[in-house]
């Protein structure tokens, strides 16, 4: 009886996670598909690849500045929000976090403006790009606070709001940028559009979540526990920036902005994996912290790591096959990026797996190992960038990113296993080994060969499905029961209307 009860409880936890993934995944598909589709339009409108490179570099500056501005407070806020089921306490956490982030964002924004000359030189390789620095500074100010203001929506698991905002934001952004691009504002069109869209979304969340933020609820005594969690996370976000953006800066300075533009384009297409990543992030944080005190927390976290790994591997296998076909839709001078896009598809998914594993450190309130382990991968990434970019160009940068994350993932799994905070099963080792073999075979033997590639990808998927056949059966049963329930409700409604 006890085993049956525990099984049902485990199934309910899996159901909670699956449902969050499905809902947030749908919203993420919309938010990521719009930029994915529009990249084909944008790269064909902008005549000079260098202009596209400069425009995209604004995002690189903003991502670095935002990491410094938020200072890990988003994750600290999320962690402490679920510490007590007391709404007054939760409002104090939200309010204190917001007003601290407003101050830190203002400081970082001013710092970006003060350092405009070195930023122009090293990021844009153009000493006259002051206007791009100003755009990056404003985007940092809006984006950093937006992260905090929107947090209560996710913490309350308001899925419909998530779907709407993720639909509106990219559509609004490109509705503004495309007319500007057609008028010839090739460099500033997308940064300005993104800034306006972000501001509109922030105002919307400020209205929706206004009850969670109040100056009267700011509690200075909560800053200490918030910062105790947040400050050790700052190096993590800076290291993530090294992984995700330093390669663009190095390519720009070693090869030129033309190649940086190609790398940016292929990274955007490669980052279609963000569909999986953002779906995970939205569903995961609510699931992880709301269930962190469960008896089987270590087992559940380990299983989620496995499931997401399996999904990532299968998706990557098919991306390898179809990447050359997708890049035919782009202008010829971007086609060379398709090889790099496959590495850059898998890399964010390995980052996702790292974060799943590192959640165990946050749960036990030890965040420093995250930065230490991740820094090892980042150092490897930078070294490989310096060595490989001059030799094999942008593919070298993509390889460096993938290898860096792979090393970090392997180390964190070993450390957590020794700390008894993670369970490693044989099928995890097998699926990971098969992914490595498949990737090497694709690159060396059947790259660009659609039929052979498809056969190998299907075979790989079948092996993964077999390894996780029990979970697949449960998922199919869950979907079947849901459809059955909906059909029964529809039949009952029809009977009522007939009577």
């Amino acid at each position: 009886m006890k085993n049956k009860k525990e099984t049902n409880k485990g199934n309910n936890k899996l159901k909670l996670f699956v449902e969050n993934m499905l809902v947030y995944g749908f919203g993420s598909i919309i938010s990521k598909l719009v930029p994915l589709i529009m990249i084909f339009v944008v790269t064909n409108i902008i005549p000079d690849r260098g202009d596209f490179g400069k425009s995209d570099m604004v995002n690189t500056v903003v991502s670095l500045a935002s990491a410094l501005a938020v200072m890990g407070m988003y994750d600290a806020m999320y962690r402490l929000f679920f510490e007590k089921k007391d709404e007054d306490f939760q409002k104090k956490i939200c309010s204190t976090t917001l007003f601290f982030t407003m101050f830190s964002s203002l400081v970082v924004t001013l710092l970006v403006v003060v350092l405009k000359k070195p930023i122009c030189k090293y990021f844009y390789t153009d000493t006259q790009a002051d206007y791009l620095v100003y755009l990056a500074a404003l985007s940092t100010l809006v984006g950093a606070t937006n992260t905090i203001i929107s947090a209560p929506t996710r913490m309350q698991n308001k899925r419909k709001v998530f779907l709407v905002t993720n639909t509106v934001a990219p559509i609004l952004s490109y509705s503004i940028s495309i007319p500007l691009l057609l008028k010839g504002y090739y460099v500033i069109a997308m940064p300005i559009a993104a800034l306006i869209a972000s501001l509109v979304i922030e105002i919307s969340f400020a209205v929706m979540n206004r009850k969670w933020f109040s100056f009267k609820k700011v509690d200075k005594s909560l800053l200490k526990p918030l910062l105790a969690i947040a400050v050790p996370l700052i190096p993590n976000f800076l290291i993530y920036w090294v992984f995700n953006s330093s390669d663009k800066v190095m390519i720009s300075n070693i090869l030129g902005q033309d190649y940086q533009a190609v790398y940016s384009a292929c990274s955007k297409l490669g980052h279609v994996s963000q569909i999986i990543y953002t779906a995970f992030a939205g569903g995961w944080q609510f699931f992880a912290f709301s269930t962190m005190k469960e008896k089987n927390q270590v087992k559940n976290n380990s299983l989620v790591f496995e499931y997401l790994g399996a999904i990532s591997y299968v998706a990557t296998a098919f991306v390898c096959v179809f990447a050359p076909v997708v890049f035919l839709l782009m202008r010829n001078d971007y086609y060379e990026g398709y090889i790099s896009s496959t590495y850059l598809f898998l890399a964010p998914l390995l980052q996702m797996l790292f974060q799943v594993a590192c959640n165990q450190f946050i749960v036990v309130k030890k965040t420093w190992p995250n930065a230490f382990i991740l820094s090892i991968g980042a150092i490897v990434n930078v070294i490989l960038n310096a060595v490989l970019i001059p030799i094999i160009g942008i593919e070298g940068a993509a390889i460096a990113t993938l290898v860096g994350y792979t090393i970090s993932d392997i180390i964190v799994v070993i450390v957590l296993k020794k700390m008894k905070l993670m369970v490693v099963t044989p099928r995890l080792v097998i699926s990971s080994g098969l992914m490595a073999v498949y990737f090497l075979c694709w690159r060396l033997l059947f790259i660009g060969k659609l039929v052979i590639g498809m056969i190998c990808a299907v075979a790989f998927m079948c092996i993964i499905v077999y390894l996780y056949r029990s979970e697949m059966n449960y998922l199919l049963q869950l979907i079947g029961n849901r459809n059955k329930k909906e059909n029964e409700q529809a039949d009952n409604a029809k009977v009522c209307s007939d009577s």
Side-chain angles (χ1 to χ4, degrees), residues 218-250:
V218 174
D219 188 344
K220 293 180 181 178
S221 66
L222 292 175
L223 271 178
K224 186 176 180 180
L226 281 166
L227 290 172
I229 297 174
V231 172
L233 291 174
I234 297 174
N236 287 17
F237 295 110
L238 296 178
I239 295 167
Y240 281 132
W241 183 86
V242 171
F243 267 115
N244 298 326
S245 302
S246 66
D247 44 7
K248 295 180 183 179
V249 179
M250 294 180 75

Side-chain angles (χ1 to χ4, degrees), residues 20-235:
N20 274 335
M21 283 284 289
L22 291 174
V23 173
Y24 283 110
F26 180 73
S28 302
I29 287 172
I30 297 171
S31 66
K32 299 302 176 183
L33 275 183
V34 173
L36 176 63
I37 294 170
M38 294 309 297
I39 191 65
F40 300 110
V41 178
V42 169
T43 52
N44 279 287
I45 291 176
I46 301 176
D48 186 347
R49 293 192 316 192
D51 286 343
F52 177 72
K54 285 182 180 179
S55 177
D56 186 73
M57 190 60 76
V58 173
N59 296 327
T60 303
V61 177
V62 171
S63 63
L64 174 59
S66 294
L68 294 171
V70 177
M71 292 181 60
M73 291 295 280
Y74 176 81
D75 291 81
M77 174 187 180
Y78 224 116
R79 171 62 179 82
L80 292 182
F81 187 90
F82 291 99
E83 190 69 23
K84 296 180 183 179
K85 292 182 178 180
D86 178 358
E87 188 172 300
D88 186 64
F89 172 79
Q90 292 173 336
K91 287 179 179 179
K92 288 180 180 179
I93 289 291
C94 293
S95 300
T96 305
T97 303
L98 175 62
F99 284 98
F100 178 84
T101 307
M102 288 172 65
F103 173 76
S104 61
S105 299
L106 184 59
V107 171
V108 173
T109 298
L110 293 174
L111 187 63
V112 170
V113 174
V114 170
L115 297 176
K116 62 182 178 181
K117 290 301 178 184
I119 291 174
C120 287
K121 180 180 179 181
Y122 292 107
F123 284 83
Y124 301 106
T125 62
D126 181 359
T127 55
Q128 303 302 314
D130 292 11
Y131 61 101
L132 293 176
V133 176
Y134 294 139
L135 278 173
L138 287 172
S139 297
T140 299
L141 182 62
V142 174
T145 51
N146 196 346
T147 301
I148 304 301
I149 290 174
S150 64
T153 299
R154 284 194 172 184
M155 290 189 289
Q156 296 173 87
N157 211 24
K158 292 184 177 179
R159 304 169 183 176
K160 291 181 180 179
V161 176
F162 177 86
L163 291 174
V164 172
T165 54
N166 273 266
T167 303
V168 170
I171 293 175
L172 177 61
S173 179
Y174 282 100
S175 296
I176 298 169
S177 64
I178 295 300
L180 291 174
L181 285 170
L182 293 173
K183 289 185 177 181
Y185 297 102
Y186 301 126
V187 178
I188 64 172
M190 289 191 291
I192 287 177
L195 174 60
I196 294 172
S198 181
L199 184 59
V200 170
I201 295 299
E202 178 168 26
I203 293 171
S204 301
F205 275 117
V207 173
M208 288 186 287
N209 295 329
R210 61 187 180 278
K211 81 166 190 174
W212 294 98
F213 302 103
S214 170
F215 184 75
K216 294 179 180 180
K217 292 292 182 181
V218 174
D219 188 344
K220 293 180 181 178
S221 66
L222 292 175
L223 271 178
K224 186 176 180 180
L226 281 166
L227 290 172
I229 297 174
V231 172
L233 291 174
I234 297 174

Side-chain angles (χ1 to χ4, degrees), residues 317-329:
F318 283 96
V319 166
C320 288
V321 176
F322 290 108
V325 178
V326 173
F327 268 77
L328 289 173
L329 300 174

Side-chain angles (χ1 to χ4, degrees), residues 241-355:
W241 183 86
V242 171
F243 267 115
N244 298 326
S245 302
S246 66
D247 44 7
K248 295 180 183 179
V249 179
M250 294 180 75
I251 289 170
S252 181
N253 283 276
I254 295 173
L255 302 177
Q257 291 244 288
D258 268 13
Y259 287 95
Q260 188 263 318
V262 176
Y263 189 80
S264 294
C266 75
S267 68
K268 287 183 185 301
L269 290 170
H271 283 187
V272 69
S273 59
Q274 293 288 338
I275 292 173
I276 300 172
Y277 179 90
T278 309
F280 145 76
W284 167 251
Q285 284 184 311
F286 177 81
F287 175 85
F289 292 121
S290 63
T291 62
M292 65 184 177
K293 295 182 180 180
E294 295 287 341
K295 183 179 178 181
N296 295 324
Q297 192 273 337
V298 171
K299 181 181 178 181
N300 290 337
N301 198 78
S302 302
L303 286 173
V304 170
F305 184 91
E306 278 196 45
Y307 299 155
L308 291 173
I311 293 169
S312 302
Y313 298 156
V314 172
T316 301
F318 283 96
V319 166
C320 288
V321 176
F322 290 108
V325 178
V326 173
F327 268 77
L328 289 173
L329 300 174
M330 300 187 74
R331 217 167 54 206
N332 290 338
D333 51 348
Y334 286 92
Y335 185 76
E336 61 186 291
Y338 85 84
I339 297 175
S340 299
S341 70
T342 56
Y343 302 103
L344 296 176
F345 178 89
L346 181 58
L349 298 178
L350 294 184
Q351 175 186 341
M352 171 184 71
L353 294 178
F354 182 84
Q355 290 176 341

